[in-house]
Amino acid sequence: DIVLTQSPDSLAVSLGERATINCKSSQSLLFNYNNKNYLAWYQQKPGQPPKLLIYWASTRESGVPDRFSGSGSATDFTLTISRLQAADVAVYYCQQYYTRPLTFGGGTKVEIK
Amino acid sequence: QVQLVQSGAEVKKPGASVKVSCKASGYSFTKYDINWVRQAAGQGFEWVGWMNLETGDTEYAQKLQGRVTITRDSSISTVYMEVSSLRSEDTAVYYCARNGMGDYWGQGTLVTVSS
């Protein structure tokens, strides 16, 4: 199974500042046939299902604010929240869909400093 | 609009079975795969299984092999996930999600296994 290791486990950032979350994969998620990275990022708030933010590692889902961005390729990926807002307090997860079983990172809890 | 609506919470005794439904609307049902994922309280996510809704092909997590079955009823755009021989460690919120990238999720179904 592909193991996704997220860091840090938690993060406290001041309002308006940048938050950066990392996700490292045990195997490359880059499919050479279409040059796409099979990695997604989700936001989950208490009592809610995950919300898709980013797919193909860097494509923002429709309706997601542009302060959220994804980058990286192959085994190293990053989710950046450029100007943290109170509404962004949540747990963030990376997930690979390169192969089954689908696997998730352990999550990063983002709080306000 | 696209929606996945799951059945309500269940409380089961160890050894029993549970069947959770996921009704899709707002899109062509067989065009997208469905994955089932579970999340124990305060924990991360664990993939349970997958179905290609066009072909009916399935794949299950090795940990749950033999105890989980995913089926569909295309006439009512509904996917089902059944877990048998329930154990306390199966207590979790179970989600259905469309596509490998999970662009739409059900609201979740809490399954509690307790004697």
Side-chain angles (χ1 to χ4, degrees):
Chain A
D1 297 0
I2 295 176
V3 176
L4 298 181
T5 304
Q6 271 185 248
S7 61
D9 293 336
S10 63
L11 188 58
V13 176
S14 300
L15 289 171
E17 296 300 306
R18 178 186 300 253
T20 301
I21 301 168
N22 299 301
C23 177
K24 188 172 184 64
S25 175
S26 62
Q27 299 177 36
S28 176
L29 304 181
L30 176 63
F31 189 29
N32 291 327
Y33 177 76
N34 58 10
N35 202 38
K36 287 183 181 291
N37 287 283
Y38 284 62
L39 184 105
W41 287 97
Y42 300 93
Q43 175 193 69
Q44 188 182 35
K45 297 182 178 180
Q48 296 182 18
K51 174 187 175 183
L52 179 65
L53 299 174
I54 303 286
Y55 57 98
W56 301 131
S58 61
T59 302
R60 198 177 303 114
E61 173 72 327
S62 176
V64 172
D66 61 7
R67 64 180 181 274
F68 291 93
S69 63
S71 62
S73 184
T75 61
D76 291 279
F77 302 91
T78 299
L79 175 71
T80 301
I81 310 171
S82 59
R83 299 170 301 279
L84 192 76
Q85 297 189 7
D88 301 335
V89 169
V91 181
Y92 293 83
Y93 294 92
C94 56
Q95 178 233 318
Q96 66 80 20
Y97 50 102
Y98 184 89
T99 187
R100 289 183 294 272
L102 306 185
T103 51
F104 294 78
T108 297
K109 187 174 186 178
V110 174
E111 299 172 311
I112 304 296
K113 186 188 292 182
Chain B
Q1 73 282 23
V2 173
Q3 278 192 300
L4 297 175
V5 178
Q6 298 182 221
S7 49
E10 303 265 12
V11 180
K12 297 291 183 181
K13 293 194 183 302
S17 297
V18 68
K19 192 170 186 177
V20 179
S21 66
C22 171
K23 183 172 176 58
S25 61
Y27 69 98
S28 177
F29 178 68
T30 58
K31 187 175 177 182
Y32 299 90
D33 299 349
I34 286 286
N35 285 277
W36 287 89
V37 173
R38 68 183 183 180
Q39 185 178 35
Q43 303 298 311
F45 294 98
E46 180 181 23
W47 179 76
V48 172
W50 160 89
M51 174 177 265
N52 179 316
L53 297 187
E54 186 169 14
T55 64
D57 289 344
T58 55
E59 188 171 338
Y60 303 117
Q62 193 164 12
K63 179 179 174 180
L64 288 158
Q65 200 79 28
R67 294 201 299 126
V68 63
T69 306
I70 298 173
T71 56
R72 74 195 189 293
D73 184 341
S74 298
S75 70
I76 55 171
S77 300
T78 300
V79 186
Y80 303 92
M81 180 211 59
E82 183 170 19
V83 183
S84 61
S85 303
L86 285 165
R87 309 161 183 170
S88 59
E89 53 264 38
D90 294 320
T91 295
V93 176
Y94 288 74
Y95 294 100
C96 57
R98 193 181 81 161
N99 264 337
M101 66 184 71
D103 54 356
Y104 290 91
W105 291 63
Q107 81 277 20
T109 297
L110 175 61
V111 175
T112 303
V113 183
S114 175
S115 55

